[in-house]
Amino acid sequence: MSSTNSFLGKQALVIGGSIAGLFAARILSDFFEEVLIIEKDQKREKHLTRTGVPQGSHGHALLKSGEEILTELFPGIVDELIADGSVKSDFTSELAWNHHGSWKVKYHAGISIIQQSRPFLEWHIQRRLEMIPNISFLYGAKAKRMLINSDSTSIIGVEIQKDGEAAVPLNANLVVDATGAGSNSTNWLRQLGFDAPQKTEVKVNLFYASRIYSSLSSKNKDWGNLLVYPNPPRQNRGGSISPIENQRWMVTLLGYGVESPPSTLEEFINYAKSLEQPDVYEAIKNGTPETDVSVYRFPALRRFHYEKLQRFPNGLIVSGDAYCRIDPVFGQGMSIAALEAIALKKELQKSLNKNKLSQISKNTHRSFSKIIDVPWLIALTEDFRFTHTDGAKPFGLPLLKWYVKRVILACESNQKVYGKLINVLQLKAHPISLFSSSTLKAVLFQAKR
């Protein structure tokens, strides 16, 4: 139920039951009398990947920043997840992480995260939302077009259609597009006579190949999580092993610029064997796979600059992957969605104080853009180490690549530097923290390797 004394409107619509959509719905429930989530897929079961989320079969990380917001929005949910099978891991002491050919130091930094499959996490969030009286779901329905007011200044609803039925209009005071990479918002804007936003795209040609294992080769291992990141430009392949619910393991192999991903058990094992470090192969060579290999391609990072549009209909907010799609290797997507939800909450609270929704779209998109800037820079700094990466390069990239690599190499032995890097990667600290005087000294004057 709403914690406010009044509402901003009768109804808000969320298009897409993604993580971004679920977070947005929770925020909207405090500001609107009714919130309706429109989802094209049918209602999901506990462990099933939705058809509209092919990446759901692969490893997903909820960073510490995202976990803290999850707890803020759904008190007690982390304990529920752990009780139901999620795995609590100490990020620095249990993670064996090879990056740029070096293994990071292991130590107890007190940074724990919870790990599970994405469908498992989505189901728990969905279950919590179903307990909120003013939130409802409409499954098997697609948004066909946006409805706009007579003077073409504000979105006033959405036309939706269920299979085999006629399209019907749904009125709304606010619409959130959380439909992910397949978003139609740019096309809908053109249909209404608006310009589409500028798009920044960086092509990386990444693939994921994943499968779940019920057991690994040996129980005598010194890690709880394993990550072997590619070592560009010499090596463009990598892999990871993470615990998920029900004492199982998510094994993901990845490659940048690799044209033929592994799709069979034999190919999967051989690909793991081809990595620069043998650890992933050794862990799975005699393991017991529970699922077939699932392959997912990620051609490019993509960012739509809705915040720069001078003319935009108020009442439409684009979020999640529909707004910006980040390289999934860095595990930032779900936590970015959580940060966007908190930004949306702040903008709605400002609107409530003014008792009007004017400029809500422009202000929220500007807030989203500021959130995206840091993870976008983190991803591009690493992605442009691959020679085939193509797109707009951030300012000062050569210096950034050089310095960040020095930071990463320092993490082989320096706990303080590693701790600062972890906070940046967990989206809890700004990268500027890596340029403090003590960190600069440790990074620039480390012993030569």
Side-chain angles (χ1 to χ4, degrees):
M1 290 297 290
S2 172
S3 60
T4 60
N5 295 322
S6 59
F7 293 100
L8 281 166
K10 174 67 176 176
Q11 179 165 259
L13 301 178
V14 178
I15 310 173
S18 62
I19 290 288
L22 299 179
F23 279 143
R26 171 61 189 88
I27 295 299
L28 293 170
S29 69
D30 285 341
F31 295 91
F32 294 86
E33 293 182 41
E34 298 176 7
V35 178
L36 177 63
I37 302 172
I38 304 167
E39 170 54 48
K40 66 179 181 179
D41 291 332
Q42 297 300 322
K43 186 174 181 178
R44 69 177 70 86
E45 296 301 327
K46 195 170 185 177
H47 303 295
L48 296 181
T49 299
R50 289 187 293 121
T51 304
V53 189
Q55 68 270 33
S57 299
H58 305 269
H60 278 72
L62 184 65
L63 305 181
K64 194 62 181 181
S65 56
E67 179 188 320
E68 290 172 351
I69 293 171
L70 179 70
T71 299
E72 176 185 341
L73 299 181
F74 305 99
I77 193 172
V78 169
D79 290 337
E80 292 174 8
L81 284 161
I82 293 173
D84 205 17
S86 292
V87 180
K88 184 177 181 179
S89 300
D90 186 285
F91 193 83
T92 50
S93 67
E94 297 182 30
L95 171 64
W97 181 3
N98 188 276
H99 197 173
H100 290 303
S102 70
W103 292 97
K104 291 177 173 53
V105 62
K106 290 182 183 178
Y107 75 107
H108 289 280
I111 302 176
S112 64
I113 59 172
I114 54 168
Q115 297 179 277
Q116 58 280 307
S117 66
R118 173 166 173 164
F120 186 84
L121 177 62
E122 280 190 350
W123 184 85
H124 277 271
I125 297 175
Q126 171 192 305
R127 186 176 66 171
R128 278 297 198 97
L129 290 176
E130 289 172 345
M131 298 178 185
I132 301 175
N134 65 332
I135 296 180
S136 57
F137 290 80
L138 179 61
Y139 294 104
K142 295 181 180 180
K144 306 300 292 184
R145 66 185 181 96
M146 292 286 169
L147 305 177
I148 197 164
N149 64 354
S150 58
D151 58 0
S152 297
T153 58
S154 297
I155 297 300
I156 57 172
V158 176
E159 186 178 87
I160 62 110
Q161 185 175 31
K162 298 193 72 172
D163 290 342
E165 299 180 11
V168 295
L170 291 177
N171 295 327
N173 303 101
L174 187 66
V175 176
V176 174
D177 177 4
T179 53
S183 168
N184 280 317
S185 280
T186 56
N187 293 328
W188 288 332
L189 287 172
R190 290 191 187 98
Q191 292 171 6
L192 295 172
F194 293 89
D195 292 332
Q198 173 191 345
K199 179 176 69 174
T200 299
E201 190 170 76
V202 176
K203 298 178 181 178
V204 292
N205 190 20
L206 165 70
F207 84 83
Y208 269 10
S210 300
R211 69 187 319 175
I212 293 173
Y213 278 70
S214 57
S215 65
L216 300 178
S217 300
S218 173
K219 294 183 179 180
N220 299 320
K221 53 184 178 7
D222 63 351
W223 48 263
N225 286 269
L226 176 63
L227 173 58
V228 177
Y229 188 79
N231 191 10
R234 183 168 66 244
Q235 170 68 284
N236 62 348
R237 300 181 175 199
S240 68
I241 302 178
S242 301
I244 62 171
E245 67 275 5
N246 298 327
Q247 300 180 320
R248 299 176 301 164
W249 299 90
M250 176 69 74
V251 180
T252 296
L253 304 177
L254 62 95
Y256 290 87
V258 177
E259 296 303 324
S260 300
S263 58
T264 66
L265 174 59
E266 182 180 5
E267 291 173 350
F268 197 81
I269 295 294
N270 288 338
Y271 192 94
K273 195 173 184 178
S274 74
L275 303 187
E276 189 173 68
Q277 304 295 331
D279 303 70
V280 174
Y281 167 72
E282 292 294 336
I284 68 171
K285 64 179 182 181
N286 297 318
T288 305
E290 185 177 295
T291 65
D292 293 332
V293 179
S294 177
V295 176
Y296 174 68
R297 287 190 175 275
F298 182 90
L301 294 83
R302 188 185 65 191
R303 181 176 183 176
F304 288 106
H305 296 278
Y306 286 97
E307 75 281 357
K308 293 183 178 180
L309 286 172
Q310 295 299 312
R311 183 171 171 264
F312 189 86
N314 197 47
L316 170 63
I317 293 173
V318 184
S319 69
D321 280 3
Y323 185 86
C324 180
R325 198 179 185 203
I326 296 274
D327 185 337
V329 168
F330 299 93
Q332 300 166 320
M334 295 195 298
S335 298
I336 289 173
L339 289 166
E340 288 177 347
I342 295 303
L344 174 61
K345 178 181 179 179
K346 291 178 180 178
E347 296 301 334
L348 288 170
Q349 187 60 55
K350 292 176 185 177
S351 295
L352 187 63
N353 294 339
K354 298 175 183 177
N355 198 29
K356 57 181 179 180
L357 278 167
S358 59
Q359 303 298 309
I360 186 64
S361 297
K362 180 182 291 186
N363 293 339
T364 303
H365 287 148
R366 286 176 177 173
S367 295
F368 286 1
S369 181
K370 293 176 182 178
I371 291 169
I372 293 298
D373 285 343
V374 169
W376 182 262
L377 183 62
I378 291 171
L380 292 192
T381 300
E382 291 303 301
D383 284 346
F384 271 108
R385 297 187 192 278
F386 300 98
T387 57
H388 72 278
T389 301
D390 182 38
K393 298 179 179 180
F395 176 77
L397 180 63
L399 178 60
L400 279 171
K401 290 199 298 183
W402 175 81
Y403 185 74
V404 170
K405 186 171 183 177
R406 297 282 297 181
V407 169
I408 290 168
L409 295 178
C411 294
E412 185 176 4
S413 58
N414 194 307
Q415 295 179 4
K416 291 183 178 179
V417 174
Y418 188 24
K420 287 193 173 184
L421 177 63
I422 289 300
N423 279 322
V424 170
L425 296 178
Q426 295 283 331
L427 302 182
K428 288 183 60 62
H430 193 279
I432 196 67
S433 63
L434 297 175
F435 292 86
S436 67
S437 57
S438 60
T439 305
L440 279 167
K441 182 179 179 180
V443 169
L444 297 179
F445 297 103
Q446 61 186 291
K448 291 185 178 180
R449 300 175 71 252

